[in-house]
Amino acid sequence: MDYFIELLFAGLTRGSIYALIALGYTMVYGIIGLINFAHGEIYMIGAFTSFIVATVLSIYGFPLLAIVIIAAVAAAVWSSAYGFTVEKLAYRPLRKAPRLAPLISAIGMSIFLQNYVLLAQTSDFLPFPELIPEFAFMEPVAHIVGSSDMVILVTTAIVMIALTCLIKFTKIGKAMRATAQDKTMAVLVGVNVDRVISATFIIGSALAAIGGLLIASHIGQINFYIGFLAGIKAFTAAVLGGIGSIPGAVLGSLVLGLTESFATGYISSDYEDVFAFSLLVLILIFKPSGLLGKTETKKV
Amino acid sequence: MSDSPIILKVEGLSKYFGGIKAIDNVDIDIRQGEIVALIGPNGAGKTTFFNCLTGIYTPTAGDIYLSDPRNGKTTRLNGKKPNKITEIGMARTFQNIRLFPTMSVLENVMIGRHCRTKALIFGAVFRNKATRIEETQIIERSYELLKKIGLHRQVNEEARNLSYGAQRRLEIGRALATDPFLLLLDEPAAGMNPKETEALVALIREICAEGHSILLIEHDMKLVMSLSDRIFVMDYGKKIAQGTPEEVRENPAVIKAYLGEDVDA
């Protein structure tokens, strides 16, 4: 039973991280119908930024909590700047182009950012400082659930609730929903759609950066290439839940995380990715719009 | 009416799609407080004309000037973005209803207040006092508008669940929420039953009495003739007639455009 619970929490932790990244994919898709393939790289840049900030701060002997908070804020701001710039440079000029053009542009951006970090930093795996301490009150259950798992779960939950409130109750949230439902009409009632799209990229990037910090600290090492697989997995999760749907992205991520965790725990860790992507194929065959996605009925 | 200031002046407006002249050298002017109708057979270029005015299309040639009667400022609209034009003070509705279907009635109207308020993402995150006051004001103003269009009992209903007539009225309410001085209505009575049309006419009169000017496209001739101060008639992209309802009704060019040439004449 302990083993089951251990796998359950490992799966939820993994799923939470996927969710932080998948939200960026799904929000951008919901608003401009683009799969932002550079999103995984934004997450990687978030991890690198927090690595640099945390390392510098720990040299100066800052307390751990301060390091975590400053690193998280720095990573979120820096990644947002990247997300904002990528949209402005690579997607905005192509807004009216056929859908394939921005998609190719996104893949190009992804490759560019990977290689930029490779050149600017290193190709080696860097040891990431352990930012999340072992809490004393977690001691009795430490063999099942680690402290960092707990921190990731709680942080993700808080972020999700905040995001839901932002979209449900605020003006920018309303503008985002309106833009997603009918962009032309949103412009005509005076919504500055360019600004809404920028805001979407900024929010998505900040979430991915926080995910980057959490996972890097959890796993303990980073590399310029981590964004690729994480991005693909999060994209899978978003499609699994129904791309464009925010609750769908969260659900899809948790389902994916749990599947991976149980499959590796009970069967074999060698097949982790095989299970993840088989699940995707199965869902797409039986429910092409994803778990919570809307089926589009076209009028004939 | 003829001495009130001109608020919309369109000079030599043309819009070509390749070789097709959808709008060909059209002049139109609208004065403060007028209800003006734009009529013409299907495919005459009326909706394209609206799309040029509101910035969805960039005109091929010609100028569009909008003067705000509240401060007398004149702006050339060519090449301006649609949301900028809405901000200046011109709003529109669509021929086919384009509400935000899964947002509530209240939210649909609140969205229209956007361009009149300042707070964006910062305010949303930190929710300072100014933002909260602003939000209360938005909601109050939206309620007022909903009351006027008679939808204040359905504020939390999703827009797609409203009846057809109510959806049309909500579209007008959302357009009004942007505080326009000129309102463009594209076939507001299309698909309405006689009772709904009657309520619509009353609503348009009320909006006009409050100081908004109105330009409307409509096929319901009874409505057009009873409501408008002046009428412009388009056919094949050209303006073929203009004048008061009586003048237009008698105009041979208009009769020809609608009914075809009289063989016996």
Side-chain angles (χ1 to χ4, degrees):
Chain A
M1 194 59 198
D2 273 6
Y3 188 53
F4 175 80
I5 295 175
E6 191 184 329
L7 290 178
L8 180 73
F9 272 95
L12 289 177
T13 309
R14 211 184 258 255
S16 301
I17 297 291
Y18 289 154
L20 284 173
I21 311 172
L23 283 169
Y25 276 109
T26 218
M27 278 165 46
V28 166
Y29 184 86
I31 284 198
I32 53 173
L34 163 76
I35 310 286
N36 177 14
F37 275 114
H39 192 59
E41 269 53 60
I42 299 291
Y43 149 88
M44 177 267 291
I45 286 170
F48 265 88
T49 312
S50 47
F51 170 77
I52 294 167
V53 172
T55 312
V56 171
L57 290 182
S58 58
I59 291 170
Y60 285 103
F62 275 72
L64 206 51
L65 186 67
I67 295 182
V68 174
I69 292 172
I70 296 173
V73 171
V77 170
W78 197 238
S79 287
S80 300
Y82 268 93
F84 174 81
T85 315
V86 165
E87 190 269 333
K88 203 137 208 177
L89 291 182
Y91 307 148
R92 187 164 297 181
L94 296 172
R95 187 107 23 100
K96 293 206 173 96
R99 281 176 80 142
L100 205 53
L103 195 71
I104 303 289
S105 180
I107 294 172
M109 254 307 157
S110 161
I111 296 169
F112 169 79
L113 287 175
Q114 266 178 38
N115 286 281
Y116 161 68
V117 174
L118 167 66
L119 289 173
Q121 301 294 327
T122 168
S123 62
D124 298 332
F125 275 93
L126 298 168
F128 199 88
E130 210 174 292
L131 291 180
I132 304 165
E134 293 296 327
F135 297 122
F137 66 87
M138 292 288 291
E139 199 72 62
V141 289
H143 61 291
I144 307 173
V145 193
S147 295
S148 70
D149 291 274
M150 219 55 215
V151 170
I152 289 175
L153 286 175
V154 172
T155 314
T156 312
I158 293 171
V159 167
M160 301 289 162
I161 293 168
L163 181 70
T164 312
C165 291
L166 181 86
I167 287 173
K168 267 237 153 67
F169 302 117
T170 67
K171 211 175 103 180
I172 181 77
K174 266 193 243 23
M176 285 165 80
R177 277 182 291 151
T179 308
Q181 288 181 21
D182 190 333
K183 215 188 304 166
T184 322
M185 201 56 238
V187 177
L188 280 169
V189 292
V191 174
N192 187 339
V193 167
D194 284 342
R195 207 151 19 143
V196 170
I197 293 172
S198 290
T200 309
F201 272 84
I202 286 173
I203 296 169
S205 304
L207 295 180
I210 292 171
L213 167 83
L214 291 173
I215 193 71
S217 160
H218 186 61
I219 292 176
Q221 57 179 14
I222 56 169
N223 173 263
F224 74 96
Y225 202 58
I226 56 169
F228 177 72
L229 195 60
I232 294 281
K233 286 278 179 68
F235 170 61
T236 307
V239 172
L240 201 61
I243 193 142
S245 151
I246 287 178
V250 178
L251 180 68
S253 301
L254 293 179
V255 168
L256 187 71
L258 288 171
T259 309
E260 283 186 5
S261 172
F262 285 122
T264 45
Y266 285 120
I267 304 167
S268 161
S269 61
D270 297 337
Y271 291 98
E272 178 189 310
D273 296 343
V274 176
F275 286 114
F277 294 114
S278 309
L279 179 69
L280 175 71
V281 171
L282 285 177
I283 296 267
L284 286 183
I285 290 173
F286 292 107
K287 200 162 184 319
S289 55
L291 295 171
L292 297 184
K294 278 166 246 134
T295 27
E296 276 184 36
T297 18
K298 283 230 171 75
K299 265 189 194 162
V300 187
Chain B
M1 205 59 84
S2 58
D3 51 345
S4 51
I6 290 177
I7 54 167
L8 177 75
K9 192 164 186 61
V10 178
E11 285 174 340
L13 189 76
S14 300
K15 175 71 188 173
Y16 303 159
F17 294 103
I20 296 168
K21 296 180 173 178
I23 304 177
D24 192 9
N25 201 14
V26 171
D27 301 318
I28 273 184
D29 59 284
I30 295 175
R31 288 172 184 279
Q32 156 73 5
E34 272 188 318
I35 300 181
V36 176
L38 183 62
I39 64 171
N42 286 328
K46 303 180 299 285
T47 298
T48 309
F49 187 75
F50 267 27
N51 284 341
C52 286
L53 292 189
T54 48
I56 296 180
Y57 292 152
T58 323
T60 312
D63 298 300
I64 307 165
Y65 297 100
L66 194 62
S67 321
D68 191 335
R70 295 171 291 204
N71 57 19
K73 234 172 73 189
T74 302
T75 325
R76 185 168 179 268
L77 298 187
N78 298 45
K80 285 247 183 322
K81 281 190 188 163
N83 57 320
K84 262 271 144 341
I85 293 176
T86 309
E87 242 172 77
I88 295 169
M90 180 159 69
R92 78 174 283 185
T93 66
F94 272 89
Q95 195 172 342
N96 43 340
I97 293 175
R98 288 181 77 168
L99 291 165
F100 302 116
T102 63
M103 287 168 80
S104 75
V105 167
L106 181 64
E107 284 175 335
N108 262 284
V109 176
M110 284 170 75
I111 274 285
R113 293 300 301 161
H114 245 255
C115 61
R116 298 288 168 227
T117 53
K118 280 178 240 105
L120 201 74
I121 193 159
F122 248 169
V125 174
F126 297 110
R127 301 194 65 76
N128 50 355
K129 203 169 167 211
T131 313
R132 286 200 303 271
I133 292 173
E134 198 174 83
E135 235 165 63
T136 329
Q137 282 168 347
I138 294 180
I139 293 177
E140 274 169 11
R141 174 95 174 96
S142 304
Y143 258 107
E144 251 170 62
L145 275 168
L146 286 170
K147 215 164 203 165
K148 185 189 298 176
I149 58 173
L151 290 175
H152 55 291
R153 277 176 235 282
Q154 286 149 293
V155 281
N156 290 322
E157 192 67 61
E158 278 189 12
R160 59 176 170 180
N161 296 336
L162 294 179
S163 73
Y164 185 81
Q167 291 196 11
R168 283 241 171 253
R169 269 180 292 148
L170 180 55
E171 261 208 315
I172 295 177
R174 183 180 59 185
L176 283 177
T178 64
D179 265 352
F181 56 87
L182 176 60
L183 186 61
L184 309 187
L185 304 173
D186 195 346
E187 296 196 27
M192 281 189 167
N193 64 36
K195 212 176 144 227
E196 286 171 328
T197 309
E198 218 172 279
L200 179 79
V201 169
L203 178 64
I204 294 178
R205 285 229 166 87
E206 193 188 331
I207 295 168
C208 180
E210 278 167 7
H212 300 87
S213 315
I214 291 164
L215 173 62
L216 62 104
I217 296 176
E218 188 49 67
H219 284 299
D220 182 339
M221 281 308 139
K222 222 178 93 201
L223 184 149
V224 169
M225 293 299 169
S226 69
L227 203 55
S228 357
D229 300 309
R230 281 190 302 145
I231 298 174
F232 290 96
V233 190
M234 282 177 75
D235 193 21
Y236 293 109
K238 288 195 171 66
K239 184 174 80 177
I240 58 167
Q242 69 179 78
T244 62
E246 292 72 35
E247 289 165 4
V248 164
R249 211 191 319 239
E250 310 289 309
N251 191 317
V254 178
I255 298 169
K256 191 179 130 196
Y258 271 92
L259 301 175
E261 202 113 29
D262 195 340
V263 223
D264 291 333

